[in-house]
Amino acid sequence: MTDDQLIIRFLDGQVNAFNTLVWRWEKRLYNFILRYVGDREDAKDLCQKTFIQVYQDLRRLRDPGKFSTWVHQIAVNLCRDELRNRHRRPMLSLEGLQEDYDDPSLAAPEMAAAPSMQPDAAAHRRDMRELLNAALQTLPEEQRVVVIMKEYQELKFAEIAEILGISVNTAKSRMYYGLGALRKVFDQWNISQEVLGYEV
Amino acid sequence: MKCSMSKEKLVGYLYQDMEPEEQASIEAHLAQCPACRGTLEDLSSTTEILRAWPEEEPNMDLTFVQEEGSRGKVLKRGWLRGLLGRRPVMGVAFGIAAVLVILALVNLEVTYTQGDFQVSMSLLPRPRAGSESVEDPPVTRGEFAAWQEESLQLMQEVIQMSEERQRRERDLTLVQFAQDLERRRYQDLRMVGRGLEVMEASTEDRFRRTGDVLHQLLTVAQLQMVQPTPLQRE
């Protein structure tokens, strides 16, 4: 059953159809918000708020075929509100980094933030997730959201542009600069495909 | 990029998300432009790294339920998580409070007789000690020796577990130390590389200046040979 059909059934009064929709979208939306705001507990809360708002406003959605765009718009707005309310994270300025490897600001965060250093593959993957999360959070918000939508949500640039209310070229331009900035961060933190493939 | 290929087209080509008529022209350009090929390769490798973060399970169990007698619907998480709240500290506090309440409801009695602790709990008050007498059987030497041996075995197991844990912690420290060393080695190599580049640039500059000075000297010498000084004429 497609999302459109579930929405139509829900509008006819079947609550379970909405639950099916929620369970179908829960993981994808949670991961989108997680990568956007960088915190798991906040992501759970925002995901819940998104579904509540979807539930309340679903009758206003004129075209059920646009559900994906619409739910992403709600999630983006909630995430932006959250980031605005939150204290600013210290952003890494790549130009200002000194060439002093004793400078703690240069250290990749995984050694300090890793929950464990057990020499096993699962812990290594966990550390890599935290590293990539931290790297994404160094991006300006407008670049980060485009990178996440393209790379993880696998949306088309036309969809991204519609969700964010920008042009396709602007979306591509932000993607270009976002990937470029991430490249510099990965180089600085010695993150490479070889390191990712390293199994202790 | 050092050519006319736009970054938007490059990104579109990377994700195969572009107008169909653009693909051929982009590919033709890439075939002739190593700079763009290099940029495309960098973008591609960055995306490969990003894909090392797979999707995580939310573990939320969101469910919309119909409240009886009301039009409204309530979003509940998995009941246990909803009960305990999202903060583990609240869950622990709730658990401790529940334990205290249960203990307050039962009669807890702890007695110590002849080296043994006895704990008893019941919902009704127990009769006071002394209203019924219980004789503990005497402990034989054999039983005491068996108990002693069992205690020794337990202690040995505890010591072994402690040694095992220390060995694991030592291994973890060594792994972390090796990783730190590796990271510093990369950083050192980068610094050395940059230093060599700076030195090379500085040496080139000095050679160039020396060359300029020599050239000037030669020019002056040639001029002097062509136009001798008044003293020499005399």
Side-chain angles (χ1 to χ4, degrees):
Chain A
M1 198 176 296
T2 63
D3 288 350
D4 302 5
Q5 290 168 326
L6 287 171
I7 291 169
I8 291 169
R9 287 197 174 195
F10 167 67
L11 294 176
D12 281 342
Q14 297 182 29
V15 177
N16 279 337
F18 189 80
N19 283 327
T20 304
L21 200 63
V22 167
W23 298 330
R24 187 180 286 184
W25 274 86
E26 192 180 8
K27 184 174 177 179
R28 187 176 175 194
L29 202 60
Y30 166 76
N31 280 277
F32 167 66
I33 296 173
L34 170 63
R35 287 168 173 127
Y36 198 155
V37 301
D39 180 84
R40 284 173 180 82
E41 290 303 322
D42 287 346
K44 287 181 186 177
D45 283 348
L46 289 167
C47 191
Q48 185 173 345
K49 284 181 186 174
T50 302
F51 283 121
I52 290 174
Q53 193 166 337
V54 165
Y55 174 81
Q56 289 170 342
D57 296 342
L58 194 52
R59 281 170 178 76
R60 295 183 203 164
L61 178 62
R62 291 174 193 170
D63 181 3
K66 293 282 192 181
F67 179 76
S68 169
T69 302
W70 184 66
V71 79
H72 277 101
Q73 280 172 333
I74 294 173
V76 165
N77 289 335
L78 287 171
C79 289
R80 281 177 176 164
D81 290 343
E82 166 65 23
L83 293 174
R84 230 178 278 126
N85 293 334
R86 195 193 275 179
H87 290 295
R88 277 186 181 271
R89 291 175 184 272
M91 301 287 280
L92 270 180
S93 168
L94 297 173
E95 290 74 26
L97 286 172
Q98 301 298 319
E99 295 298 327
D100 179 5
Y101 60 72
D102 288 331
D103 184 350
S105 69
L106 264 185
E110 87 285 8
M111 296 306 172
S116 78
M117 287 301 296
Q118 295 171 10
D120 58 49
H124 177 72
R125 282 195 292 274
R126 211 160 40 235
D127 293 345
M128 283 300 117
R129 281 203 301 258
E130 296 307 320
L131 264 180
L132 293 175
N133 185 18
L136 275 172
Q137 298 309 313
T138 66
L139 293 182
E141 182 266 334
E142 59 180 28
Q143 291 174 11
R144 184 165 74 239
V145 67
V146 174
V147 169
I148 293 168
M149 282 188 177
K150 188 63 190 166
E151 195 50 51
Y152 294 109
Q153 303 297 105
E154 294 180 337
L155 297 172
K156 295 254 179 228
F157 280 115
E159 292 172 301
I160 296 172
E162 189 179 351
I163 292 168
L164 300 177
I166 56 178
S167 69
V168 170
N169 273 347
T170 302
K172 289 181 178 178
S173 174
R174 289 181 186 178
M175 187 73 191
Y176 175 84
Y177 288 118
L179 289 177
L182 282 171
R183 176 82 254 163
K184 287 184 187 173
V185 172
F186 292 157
D187 286 344
Q188 209 122 30
W189 292 356
N190 282 331
I191 300 175
S192 64
Q193 287 169 273
E194 290 75 26
V195 171
L196 290 174
Y198 175 66
E199 297 283 354
V200 182
Chain B
M1 281 181 292
K2 300 176 184 174
C3 63
S4 59
M5 170 66 72
S6 72
K7 50 188 175 300
E8 291 85 4
K9 284 187 180 176
L10 211 55
V11 166
Y13 181 78
L14 175 68
Y15 286 101
Q16 293 293 295
D17 186 350
M18 64 204 155
E19 301 299 324
E21 56 270 18
E22 286 182 326
Q23 180 163 356
S25 65
I26 294 172
E27 284 174 351
H29 176 85
L30 286 171
Q32 295 171 5
C33 182
C36 285
R37 284 202 302 275
T39 303
L40 189 66
E41 177 57 37
D42 282 346
L43 294 174
S44 178
S45 63
T46 303
T47 61
E48 289 294 325
I49 294 173
L50 285 173
R51 281 167 208 157
W53 187 0
E55 285 201 327
E56 299 182 19
E57 289 299 327
N59 295 322
M60 289 191 296
D61 300 326
L62 295 176
T63 306
F64 278 73
V65 298
Q66 179 87 40
E67 278 185 340
E68 293 220 7
S70 126
R71 281 190 179 178
K73 294 179 176 56
V74 173
L75 176 63
K76 287 176 18 177
R77 280 191 187 176
W79 68 272
L80 186 59
R81 285 191 180 81
L83 192 61
L84 296 179
R86 67 183 180 101
R87 302 283 179 198
V89 170
M90 285 184 63
V92 168
F94 184 84
I96 292 173
V99 167
L100 289 175
V101 165
I102 290 170
L103 285 177
L105 287 175
V106 300
N107 286 292
L108 182 68
E109 185 176 335
V110 179
T111 55
Y112 176 74
T113 50
Q114 298 188 1
D116 269 338
F117 280 102
Q118 285 183 349
V119 177
S120 60
M121 291 170 64
S122 69
L123 289 176
L124 298 173
R126 284 188 172 273
R128 292 221 169 252
S131 60
E132 40 180 67
S133 62
V134 176
E135 275 194 26
D136 294 326
V139 176
T140 65
R141 275 194 185 182
E143 286 173 353
F144 180 78
W147 171 83
Q148 203 173 28
E149 192 175 340
E150 194 181 328
S151 300
L152 273 172
Q153 276 178 0
L154 278 172
M155 278 173 56
Q156 278 171 358
E157 280 173 23
V158 166
I159 291 169
Q160 275 174 6
M161 282 168 58
S162 172
E163 284 175 357
E164 182 62 34
R165 192 180 65 244
Q166 284 175 13
R167 205 175 303 124
R168 273 203 307 272
E169 282 173 9
R170 186 195 63 209
D171 290 343
L172 289 176
T173 306
L174 284 174
V175 165
Q176 188 174 3
F177 180 64
Q179 287 176 347
D180 281 346
L181 271 180
E182 190 63 23
R183 189 176 68 235
R184 285 186 174 231
R185 188 177 75 85
Y186 279 129
Q187 286 169 343
D188 285 345
L189 284 172
R190 270 217 318 271
M191 280 183 68
V192 166
R194 285 200 194 95
L196 286 172
E197 283 170 17
V198 166
M199 209 158 56
E200 186 183 352
S202 165
T203 307
E204 269 181 29
D205 188 50
R206 275 189 213 154
F207 275 134
R208 185 179 52 77
R209 287 186 192 177
T210 306
D212 288 345
V213 167
L214 283 173
H215 180 69
Q216 284 173 359
L217 285 172
L218 280 171
T219 306
V220 167
Q222 281 169 358
L223 280 174
Q224 291 226 334
M225 283 170 61
V226 169
Q227 295 171 3
T229 61
L231 198 63
Q232 281 180 335
R233 273 198 202 130
E234 289 176 5

